[in-house]
Amino acid sequence: MTKHEIRIRPVQETSRSDVDALLTWLTRERIVKEKLEKGELRVEQRATPDEHGTPMGLGTEIVLVVLQGVTGVVLVELLEQAKSAVREWQENRRSVGEDDPPDFDVTSDGDPR
């Protein structure tokens, strides 16, 4: 089965509650929710590997596993939506007066085109 992964990885050490809150926010996004319901997308949480690949790094990353049958255009849309969701979640955290939210890198495992 062909699949692609979109990784949402913390830049610095990040609490589990922040990762869980971002995951909840992300899964409410329209395209993510639709692809989950259709079985075209799976969401996983994985230990973030350190620089040697050992899963003991900065906490937990969110991985969107895009399954077979999803076009490159949809993959690009999911990647952009994930980036947008992270920014919106961070803005929301700031607006409610909580401490500065953590940063996340959002990347794909290859060129989706």
Side-chain angles (χ1 to χ4, degrees):
M1 177 183 290
T2 303
K3 64 180 181 179
H4 293 280
E5 293 182 344
I6 297 171
R7 296 179 177 279
I8 304 166
R9 182 174 285 175
V11 173
Q12 68 273 2
E13 192 166 334
T14 303
S15 73
R16 180 64 180 225
S17 63
D18 281 331
V19 174
D20 289 344
L22 177 57
L23 177 61
T24 299
W25 186 279
L26 181 66
T27 57
R28 291 179 180 158
E29 296 292 321
R30 180 194 53 81
I31 189 171
V32 173
K33 188 175 181 176
E34 287 175 5
K35 297 303 175 191
L36 284 168
E37 290 172 355
K38 290 181 179 179
E40 297 173 345
L41 180 68
R42 186 174 66 236
V43 178
E44 299 177 358
Q45 291 188 49
R46 300 179 187 162
T48 306
D50 64 13
E51 65 273 0
H52 305 292
T54 305
M56 298 175 69
L58 301 172
T60 303
E61 68 181 356
I62 299 168
V63 182
L64 303 179
V65 181
V66 185
L67 305 174
Q68 184 176 10
V70 174
T71 66
V73 172
V74 174
L75 186 58
V76 169
E77 188 177 356
L78 280 166
L79 179 61
E80 292 306 313
Q81 186 62 53
K83 290 177 181 180
S84 176
V86 168
R87 286 189 304 270
E88 291 169 5
W89 175 78
Q90 289 170 324
E91 290 171 16
N92 183 65
R93 278 275 311 268
R94 285 183 192 99
S95 72
V96 296
E98 295 187 31
D99 58 340
D100 202 29
D103 289 323
F104 290 84
D105 283 332
V106 182
T107 59
S108 176
D109 62 356
D111 184 8
R113 284 174 246 132

